[in-house]
PDB file of all heavy atoms in Angstrom:
ATOM      1  N   GLY Q1533     -15.418  17.822  -0.668  1.00  0.00           N
ATOM      2  CA  GLY Q1533     -15.596  19.262  -0.667  1.00  0.00           C
ATOM      3  C   GLY Q1533     -14.299  20.034  -0.529  1.00  0.00           C
ATOM      4  O   GLY Q1533     -14.317  21.259  -0.493  1.00  0.00           O
ATOM      5  N   ASP Q1613       1.293   7.894  23.064  1.00  0.00           N
ATOM      6  CA  ASP Q1613       1.444   7.900  24.512  1.00  0.00           C
ATOM      7  C   ASP Q1613       2.852   7.488  24.936  1.00  0.00           C
ATOM      8  O   ASP Q1613       3.075   7.144  26.092  1.00  0.00           O
ATOM      9  CB  ASP Q1613       0.423   6.973  25.160  1.00  0.00           C
ATOM     10  CG  ASP Q1613       0.564   5.521  24.689  1.00  0.00           C
ATOM     11  OD1 ASP Q1613       1.277   5.300  23.685  1.00  0.00           O
ATOM     12  OD2 ASP Q1613      -0.039   4.634  25.309  1.00  0.00           O
ATOM     13  N   TRP Q1674      15.102  11.254  22.791  1.00  0.00           N
ATOM     14  CA  TRP Q1674      13.894  11.989  22.405  1.00  0.00           C
ATOM     15  C   TRP Q1674      12.903  11.960  23.559  1.00  0.00           C
ATOM     16  O   TRP Q1674      12.585  10.895  24.079  1.00  0.00           O
ATOM     17  CB  TRP Q1674      13.249  11.364  21.165  1.00  0.00           C
ATOM     18  CG  TRP Q1674      14.139  11.291  19.973  1.00  0.00           C
ATOM     19  CD1 TRP Q1674      15.063  10.344  19.693  1.00  0.00           C
ATOM     20  CD2 TRP Q1674      14.177  12.217  18.882  1.00  0.00           C
ATOM     21  NE1 TRP Q1674      15.682  10.602  18.495  1.00  0.00           N
ATOM     22  CE2 TRP Q1674      15.160  11.750  17.973  1.00  0.00           C
ATOM     23  CE3 TRP Q1674      13.488  13.388  18.575  1.00  0.00           C
ATOM     24  CZ2 TRP Q1674      15.456  12.419  16.794  1.00  0.00           C
ATOM     25  CZ3 TRP Q1674      13.773  14.045  17.390  1.00  0.00           C
ATOM     26  CH2 TRP Q1674      14.745  13.567  16.518  1.00  0.00           C
ATOM     27  N   GLU Q1738      12.574  19.304  18.282  1.00  0.00           N
ATOM     28  CA  GLU Q1738      12.675  18.377  17.160  1.00  0.00           C
ATOM     29  C   GLU Q1738      13.026  19.160  15.890  1.00  0.00           C
ATOM     30  O   GLU Q1738      12.334  20.103  15.513  1.00  0.00           O
ATOM     31  CB  GLU Q1738      11.336  17.644  16.998  1.00  0.00           C
ATOM     32  CG  GLU Q1738      11.356  16.517  15.979  1.00  0.00           C
ATOM     33  CD  GLU Q1738      11.071  17.004  14.588  1.00  0.00           C
ATOM     34  OE1 GLU Q1738      10.251  17.922  14.449  1.00  0.00           O
ATOM     35  OE2 GLU Q1738      11.684  16.479  13.635  1.00  0.00           O
ATOM     36  N   GLY Q1740      13.006  18.733  12.598  1.00  0.00           N
ATOM     37  CA  GLY Q1740      12.290  18.696  11.324  1.00  0.00           C
ATOM     38  C   GLY Q1740      11.039  19.535  11.263  1.00  0.00           C
ATOM     39  O   GLY Q1740      10.477  19.716  10.189  1.00  0.00           O
ATOM     40  N   MET Q1772       7.070 -20.535  15.485  1.00  0.00           N
ATOM     41  CA  MET Q1772       7.647 -21.629  14.686  1.00  0.00           C
ATOM     42  C   MET Q1772       8.945 -22.157  15.269  1.00  0.00           C
ATOM     43  O   MET Q1772       9.512 -23.116  14.743  1.00  0.00           O
ATOM     44  CB  MET Q1772       7.910 -21.131  13.249  1.00  0.00           C
ATOM     45  CG  MET Q1772       6.651 -20.833  12.455  1.00  0.00           C
ATOM     46  SD  MET Q1772       7.024 -20.452  10.716  1.00  0.00           S
ATOM     47  CE  MET Q1772       7.747 -18.827  10.893  1.00  0.00           C
ATOM     48  N   GLN Q2034     -58.440  26.535 -55.173  1.00  0.00           N
ATOM     49  CA  GLN Q2034     -59.408  26.212 -56.218  1.00  0.00           C
ATOM     50  C   GLN Q2034     -60.684  25.627 -55.615  1.00  0.00           C
ATOM     51  O   GLN Q2034     -61.808  25.940 -56.062  1.00  0.00           O
ATOM     52  CB  GLN Q2034     -58.790  25.202 -57.197  1.00  0.00           C
ATOM     53  CG  GLN Q2034     -59.671  24.900 -58.395  1.00  0.00           C
ATOM     54  CD  GLN Q2034     -59.939  26.126 -59.270  1.00  0.00           C
ATOM     55  OE1 GLN Q2034     -59.053  26.956 -59.446  1.00  0.00           O
ATOM     56  NE2 GLN Q2034     -61.146  26.267 -59.799  1.00  0.00           N
TER      57      GLN Q2034
END
Side-chain angles (χ1 to χ4, degrees):
D1613 60 347
W1674 302 83
E1738 187 273 324
M1772 292 187 288
Q2034 185 63 37

